[in-house]
Amino acid sequence: MTSMLGIQGLSKSYGDVHALRDISFDVEAGTMVALVGRSGSGKTTLLNMVGGLDSPDTGTVLVDGTDVTGLNEAGRSRLRRDTVSYVFQTFGLVPVLTAAENVGIPLRMRRTPREEREQRVATLLDLVGLAGHAQQRPDELSGGQQQRVAIARALASSPRLLVADEPTGQLDAETGLSVMALLRGVVESEGVTALISTHDPVMMRLADRVVRISDGRVAAE
Ligand code: ADP
Ligand code: MG
């Protein structure tokens, strides 16, 4: 069993607010783990630290064996370009770009040649069920379709770890379920490891493991 993510003794305070208190857990490679907890329990704070978007007061975050907390800014940018991809509740697509162009952003950043990039984008749009929507802009797509584009974009760089922060939080139950099923599917088909925060009981059932946090502490598994 290989650990893709190792979180050890992570703590973070914002003034008087103890957002994280001595959090430790591992995520095994190739698994999907649901991070569950009430609003304000520390989920976003924790997920941001996995990709070096925020830094802890104490503790370590090992991603595929690399200590994220020891990286400088360039190293953290590289980590997010090559190893850790994010999916957010609000999709975060670039409004003036088409679905295909949005999915291609990480490949442009890696200077992938155009032909290879276009092929990869087409494959990814097909994977998320949007082959016929490549030329549409975000405002011409439903919320569920926008989140599928965001998932395709997150997978473009073939990351080791996919971090999703309440990816179905803005979707109705049925659309949310199909997005969750897609995430479950890509863990299998793309060989990616996923850490996904959610309130959704269905997501918890689709996950290999549930890590529950309460008041900044791991409460139960
Ligand atoms: P969740 O994602 O589970 O809703 P968060 O990680 O967003 O929880 O927040 C955990 C706690 O930390 C909350 O009390 C929140 O108000 C606080 N917090 C998060 N980020 C900041 C920040 N940048 N400045 C001050 N307080 C913050
Ligand atoms: Mg949050």
Side-chain angles (χ1 to χ4, degrees), residues 8-19:
Q8 277 294 333
L10 214 59
S11 295
K12 178 75 176 185
S13 296
Y14 299 103
D16 293 339
V17 178
H18 297 287

Side-chain angles (χ1 to χ4, degrees), residues 14 17 19 37-46 165-166:
Y14 299 103
V17 178
R38 283 215 296 248
S39 181
S41 58
K43 302 183 297 297
T44 296
T45 303
L46 175 60
D165 195 357
E166 301 196 38

Side-chain angles (χ1 to χ4, degrees), residues 135-217:
Q135 298 314 316
Q136 287 172 250
R137 292 200 168 73
D139 68 358
E140 300 166 333
L141 297 168
S142 70
Q145 289 171 331
Q146 289 182 61
Q147 194 60 300
R148 286 168 182 274
V149 173
I151 291 167
R153 180 182 57 184
L155 294 171
S157 55
S158 303
R160 312 298 311 273
L161 185 60
L162 186 68
V163 176
D165 195 357
E166 301 196 38
T168 63
Q170 293 213 339
L171 306 175
D172 64 71
E174 193 184 333
T175 308
L177 178 58
S178 75
V179 164
M180 287 180 251
L182 172 66
L183 286 166
R184 177 73 256 183
V186 302
V187 168
E188 315 296 333
S189 72
E190 305 299 291
V192 72
T193 303
L195 178 61
I196 303 174
S197 76
T198 184
H199 288 294
D200 196 316
V202 179
M203 184 60 115
M204 294 176 218
R205 262 182 273 138
L206 285 173
D208 296 302
R209 217 176 111 207
V210 174
V211 174
R212 196 173 296 273
I213 64 171
S214 171
D215 239 350
R217 295 180 207 276

Side-chain angles (χ1 to χ4, degrees), residues 63-143:
V63 174
D64 202 14
T66 298
D67 183 2
V68 172
T69 56
L71 296 174
N72 61 16
E73 201 176 317
R76 293 195 301 268
S77 294
R78 256 196 318 275
L79 177 82
R80 289 190 296 273
R81 190 192 64 191
D82 297 334
T83 312
V84 179
S85 282
Y86 278 88
V87 171
F88 300 103
Q89 185 173 355
T90 50
F91 323 133
L93 300 177
V94 180
V96 297
L97 298 183
T98 64
E101 288 165 343
N102 268 284
V103 175
I105 291 171
L107 300 170
R108 281 182 180 275
M109 285 167 62
R110 291 155 69 102
R111 305 189 189 287
T112 304
R114 190 170 67 107
E115 199 173 322
E116 188 185 332
R117 192 176 73 227
E118 288 175 352
Q119 272 176 20
R120 176 93 179 123
V121 166
T123 301
L124 286 161
L125 284 172
D126 195 34
L127 177 76
V128 301
L130 292 177
H133 299 268
Q135 298 314 316
Q136 287 172 250
R137 292 200 168 73
D139 68 358
E140 300 166 333
L141 297 168
S142 70

